[in-house]
Amino acid sequence: MPFHSSRRKFLQTTLTGSMVAGAAAVIPGLESCKTTQKTATNTLPLTALEQTPLPYAFNALEPAIDARTMEIHYTKHAAAYAKAIKEAVDAEAPGKSLESLFPVVSKYSTKLRNNGGGHYNHELFWKTMAPNAGQLGAGKLKTAIDASFTGYDQFKTKLTEAAMTRFGSGWAWLYLDSDKKLQIGSTPNQDNPLMDVSTVKGTPLLGLDVWEHAYYLKYQNKRADYVNAWFSLINWDFVQKRYDSLV
Ligand code: MN3
């Protein structure tokens, strides 16, 4: 049996639902081998190592998030992650995508893990917010949220709880697990559910930054008020399209 065929057969017969979404990348040498198995990560565009332009002005999300916070967050914090991840990938894994590194991130440096997550998470964060964001409209995502969390209100309660119980810095997530079911959870620091080191595993659909740098100027210690305001910014059109491309 040709090498690739035997590897593919191995994957098809031994991968289980408990393994990481996109687990093909875990098998060394498999990245260049096209598998017939559709994984949760392979239909999304890869994240460039450079920052993409913010899709709106710094003041566009006011009053929920103030312009000064957005400016510092994008031009200082997120820019620093982008600079450092480029250095780390060039040094440790030239040419590799973040999406292929996260499932094996434990094999790489803390610099690559922290800044890889920092860059990826923020690139997603900016896109999942929008000024004058609409409601979650009828569609596959709304149906799945209603089925998974018995409605939008319970979804909001659970995601708020994940954000509020994350001690210190981190992220709260709505993500798709390897069975393509919606899940809510949180990760510390700049980790995310694509990483092998994460206790919650899957593909992020929506992430909420609960580092103090995301809200302290306006909200100080009142994380709950920031979290509540953030719900009014969710770019459901973007999240819906992301979900549709994965299921
Ligand atoms: Mn941040």
Side-chain angles (χ1 to χ4, degrees):
M1 184 181 289
F3 172 78
H4 281 171
S5 300
S6 61
R7 277 300 180 90
R8 190 175 306 135
K9 186 166 173 54
F10 163 79
L11 276 177
Q12 287 170 340
T13 53
T14 61
L15 287 186
T16 67
S18 64
M19 293 185 76
V20 189
V26 174
I27 313 297
L30 198 82
E31 285 159 285
S32 61
C33 174
K34 294 233 183 295
T35 75
T36 53
Q37 189 174 48
K38 188 181 178 190
T39 61
T41 53
N42 65 5
T43 51
L44 293 175
L46 296 177
T47 303
L49 296 183
E50 294 77 24
Q51 269 191 305
T52 52
L54 197 65
Y56 35 74
F58 293 134
N59 67 358
L61 304 183
E62 290 193 339
I65 300 179
D66 62 285
R68 184 78 177 126
T69 294
M70 283 301 295
E71 182 176 1
I72 296 170
H73 202 175
Y74 179 84
T75 67
K76 305 295 183 194
H77 295 282
Y81 300 130
K83 179 173 182 290
I85 190 54
K86 183 83 165 57
E87 294 168 357
V89 170
D90 285 350
E92 300 177 44
K96 299 271 191 186
S97 67
L98 293 179
E99 286 80 356
S100 72
L101 290 167
F102 288 154
V104 287
V105 80
S106 59
K107 297 184 192 311
Y108 293 92
S109 68
T110 305
K111 177 176 178 175
L112 190 144
R113 171 181 172 176
N114 288 343
N115 292 287
H119 178 62
Y120 179 96
N121 299 348
H122 286 89
E123 285 291 299
L124 178 62
F125 185 55
W126 313 132
K127 293 185 182 74
T128 56
M129 297 187 289
N132 308 311
Q135 301 283 312
L136 171 60
K140 281 195 287 188
L141 180 58
K142 183 174 190 310
T143 303
I145 283 178
D146 286 346
S148 303
F149 310 112
T150 61
Y152 179 86
D153 290 347
Q154 186 61 16
F155 153 76
K156 184 178 176 182
T157 299
K158 283 198 74 168
L159 191 52
T160 298
E161 188 178 275
M164 293 306 296
T165 55
R166 170 47 54 195
F167 185 79
S169 298
W171 291 75
W173 302 99
L174 173 68
Y175 65 96
L176 207 56
D177 71 14
S178 56
D179 293 327
K180 308 214 167 189
K181 290 201 161 47
L182 293 177
Q183 303 288 351
I184 284 171
S186 76
T187 53
N189 305 313
Q190 296 292 357
D191 289 352
N192 68 44
L194 292 168
M195 295 180 175
D196 62 353
V197 292
S198 177
T199 54
V200 296
K201 288 192 173 67
T203 305
L205 292 170
L206 177 62
L208 169 56
D209 188 343
V210 295
W211 283 57
E212 283 187 345
H213 69 223
Y215 63 87
Y216 201 85
L217 287 182
K218 181 180 171 78
Y219 295 97
Q220 292 84 48
N221 60 315
K222 296 185 283 286
R223 183 188 285 186
D225 291 351
Y226 157 71
V227 171
N228 187 53
W230 169 81
F231 277 94
S232 70
L233 300 175
I234 298 173
N235 182 351
W236 283 114
D237 188 47
F238 175 85
V239 181
Q240 171 89 59
K241 289 193 175 95
R242 192 170 167 87
Y243 178 76
D244 289 346
S245 74
L246 292 169
V247 295

